[in-house]
Amino acid sequence: MKRLALAVALIAITLFGVVPSAQAQQGNCVLPGDILDVPTPGFLRNATPNLRTRVSGTLLPATLISHTTSRLRVRLPLSGLPYSVQFHVVHVEPNGSTKVVASARICDDPNGGGGLGPGGGGTGTGPGGRSGLGQGLSLRTPNGQPLVRATRNEVAAPSGGPEYLLIGSSEEVARAQTMMSREGVSILRNTSLGALGARMSAVDLNGRMSLAELRSRLARQRISVIVDKHSVYGAAKGRTTYANRLLGLAPDTGCKLNRPVRVGVIDGPVDTSNPALRGVSVKSTSVLFPRDRTGSVDHATGIVALISGWGTDKLPQGISPGAEIFSVVAFARNGGRSVARLESIAQGLNWMVENNVDIVNMSLAGPKNDSLEDIVKTVARKGLIMVAATGNGGRAAVAYPASDPNVIAITAVDARARLYKHANGGPEVDFSAPGVDLLLPRGRGTTFASGTSYAAAFATAIIAQEVARSGLRKQQLLNTLRQRSRDLGRPGRDSRFGWGLIQADSCK
């Protein structure tokens, strides 16, 4: 092996997992479930936030969405925040003391009453988490009849009943609003759908008429709009069903390995206490310097969950439950992002060989480097199968180490087998795998994320199945995967999808 100047090699290898953004906070006040986008205070620029929402001395949850040296994005809890109150988002120190990160006010009660605010006991869910009126109130229509409340699957209007949405051309929606206003219907807001050539209007019927009556009156006056309840949509039980379908597996269920396979993960720290990893064998080592600040646990925990998680009530199984995970903590926080030194990667690969790991997942990417190339070549001669992400730069050049001929390069596709828009491409691409809008563990909850790193995790899991089943060496394994892959793009191998969508064999 060439002599390596590891002590001075500081090649920045970046993680590839992208969490999509959510709704923005509303106006000068906020609602439960809204997201606060605030400057990062100085005391958190080099620390891991431990955030809570404090109101009247009580600490409620607060979900960290993103954290850089300049900005923090925090989701407020959906329940427990009273109307019209000032609250603080605080960072809780290890000793229990708190420091204020941001302050804001919950919007006023839309019905003019007191009691709990949105989510504090109502049954409907409105914009930003707003729910119906508190329990115990008897809602009546103008005719004295009980008002039908909004359900938990509907957005609640100020009256306590459901909101309704009208969609049509601007002219037709305006005609409908004129008619409804005469009948005592409240027009709540209007939204332009310019790209669709349409306008949308949210209304509160105030118990003046039923949905069927409204539709009938619109039809009699030949007003051409579509109207229905404003429903709330969940995330299809929060399952990555589409990923299993694309990979040729049953929904939400992986293939338990018929013998243990050692799968290495060079990444950030893995949260072994996360429910998504309950029952997963994880052996871990750190190759960081003592002064390094450890990166986030979210990325590596998500990678491991996709490979070998046993599933929870919120998350499906990984593709290869039973895989033994060998985790190398190689990423440290640097300037608001997580990076790994070349030295750390070299030490990690060395540790993998020492522990007789079968496959290593490297959801990392960066520039080609002669030293790292030599290390990869040596590791390949030892028989270790290496899998890496092509990178998320949207460039026509596969990042390193995926571009190395000794590494299996994986790109990402979505539920319709379309290429992930940020994926790098090039002649080195070997296979495609699901990598867009995947449900992953985040803290004690879940989040949706995209990136070629997650596609690499799926490919690693399928390769683990092949190793468990037949013990194939890399070239034999590649031939098997090529024959079984689902061709995408141009016939045969291409620079966008490689040999195509990687496929699992039936569980045996």
Side-chain angles (χ1 to χ4, degrees):
M1 179 182 291
K2 297 175 183 177
R3 184 173 180 177
L4 307 178
L6 294 180
V8 296
L10 298 174
I11 302 301
I13 309 293
T14 56
L15 293 172
F16 284 101
V18 181
V19 180
S21 63
Q23 71 186 68
Q25 71 181 79
Q26 302 177 7
N28 295 321
C29 64
V30 295
L31 294 169
D34 278 351
I35 289 178
L36 298 180
D37 186 336
V38 299
T40 300
F43 59 83
L44 284 183
R45 286 177 185 165
N46 297 311
T48 301
N50 179 23
L51 303 180
R52 299 290 187 273
T53 307
R54 185 175 69 195
V55 56
S56 302
T58 300
L59 293 181
L60 302 172
T63 303
L64 179 65
I65 301 297
S66 64
H67 173 215
T68 69
T69 55
S70 60
R71 305 296 296 180
L72 273 174
R73 301 184 75 235
V74 185
R75 186 187 297 279
L76 301 177
L78 284 169
S79 60
L81 293 174
Y83 287 117
S84 310
V85 300
Q86 190 81 8
F87 68 92
H88 306 284
V89 175
V90 298
H91 167 68
V92 182
E93 300 278 7
N95 62 7
S97 64
T98 60
K99 294 182 178 180
V100 175
V101 174
S103 300
R105 185 179 67 84
I106 296 297
C107 298
D108 297 333
D109 184 347
N111 301 285
L116 288 177
T123 56
T125 303
R130 173 171 30 185
S131 63
L133 298 177
Q135 294 176 347
L137 296 179
S138 178
L139 302 178
R140 298 280 171 176
T141 70
N143 298 325
Q145 298 298 314
L147 180 70
V148 177
R149 281 182 176 272
T151 70
R152 64 186 299 272
N153 296 317
E154 298 161 353
V155 173
S159 67
E163 275 189 5
Y164 294 84
L165 289 180
L166 287 80
I167 300 177
S169 68
S170 296
E171 294 78 10
E172 293 299 291
V173 169
R175 290 181 61 206
Q177 289 178 338
T178 299
M179 181 272 290
M180 290 185 296
S181 296
R182 290 197 296 263
E183 301 292 338
V185 172
S186 299
I187 311 301
L188 301 177
R189 60 190 177 276
N190 292 297
T191 304
S192 173
L193 304 175
L196 305 179
R199 185 183 184 192
M200 182 166 57
S201 179
V203 301
D204 184 352
L205 298 184
N206 293 319
R208 299 284 180 170
M209 64 185 82
S210 66
L211 175 59
E213 290 171 334
L214 174 58
R215 287 172 171 167
S216 176
R217 296 186 190 193
L218 291 168
R220 285 200 302 269
Q221 297 190 32
R222 297 184 179 180
I223 300 175
S224 182
V225 295
I226 303 297
V227 58
D228 210 334
K229 290 180 179 179
H230 189 177
S231 300
V232 174
Y233 292 84
K237 297 184 180 179
R239 300 292 189 177
T240 52
T241 307
Y242 96 84
N244 285 47
R245 171 177 57 80
L246 288 188
L247 296 171
L249 294 170
D252 302 332
T253 304
C255 291
K256 184 181 184 302
L257 300 185
N258 56 22
R259 71 173 181 85
V261 173
R262 295 187 169 197
V263 176
V265 176
I266 298 180
D267 210 293
V270 176
D271 180 8
T272 56
S273 68
N274 192 290
L277 303 189
R278 186 176 293 115
V280 178
S281 172
V282 180
K283 181 179 180 180
S284 181
T285 190
S286 174
V287 292
L288 299 180
F289 292 161
R291 65 177 181 274
D292 286 337
R293 290 178 295 113
T294 306
S296 168
V297 301
D298 293 331
H299 190 267
T301 303
I303 294 294
V304 174
L306 292 178
I307 294 173
S308 59
W310 288 98
T312 67
D313 59 341
K314 297 178 181 179
L315 290 162
Q317 277 188 1
I319 300 303
S320 296
E324 297 177 346
I325 302 299
F326 284 71
S327 163
V328 170
V329 180
F331 284 84
R333 201 179 294 275
N334 179 26
R337 60 187 183 131
S338 291
V339 297
R341 299 178 187 88
L342 188 157
E343 180 178 8
S344 298
I345 298 167
Q347 290 176 315
L349 287 171
N350 181 72
W351 187 78
M352 298 293 179
V353 174
E354 286 179 342
N355 284 274
N356 298 311
V357 169
D358 299 292
I359 313 152
V360 59
N361 180 92
M362 297 185 288
S363 289
L364 47 88
K368 186 176 181 298
N369 178 275
D370 288 345
S371 296
L372 185 55
E373 182 180 21
D374 194 65
I375 294 168
V376 168
K377 186 183 300 182
T378 302
V379 170
R381 286 199 296 263
K382 300 288 186 181
L384 182 61
I385 299 171
M386 291 170 281
V387 180
T390 61
N392 297 343
R395 299 186 298 270
V398 173
Y400 199 84
S403 61
D404 193 290
N406 294 293
V407 177
I408 301 173
I410 308 297
T411 190
V413 297
D414 66 11
R416 296 174 63 182
R418 298 173 301 189
L419 190 68
Y420 176 45
K421 63 181 180 180
H422 297 302
N424 292 344
E428 302 89 354
V429 177
D430 287 300
F431 298 101
S432 311
V436 180
D437 291 338
L438 300 169
L439 190 72
L440 300 171
R442 184 179 179 89
R444 289 300 178 263
T446 59
T447 190
F448 284 96
S450 301
T452 55
S453 60
Y454 304 119
F458 280 125
T460 298
I462 288 178
I463 291 170
Q465 293 177 11
E466 291 299 320
V467 171
R469 190 174 293 130
S470 58
L472 294 176
R473 306 289 287 182
K474 180 191 171 189
Q475 195 55 51
Q476 297 170 308
L477 186 144
L478 279 174
N479 291 337
T480 298
L481 293 176
R482 288 168 186 166
Q483 293 168 9
R484 203 165 63 217
S485 64
R486 173 183 155 194
D487 197 17
L488 300 174
R490 296 194 307 271
R493 187 178 187 179
D494 62 66
S495 62
R496 300 176 73 233
F497 301 100
W499 292 101
L501 186 60
I502 197 167
Q503 296 290 283
D505 200 357
S506 57
C507 296
K508 296 177 183 179

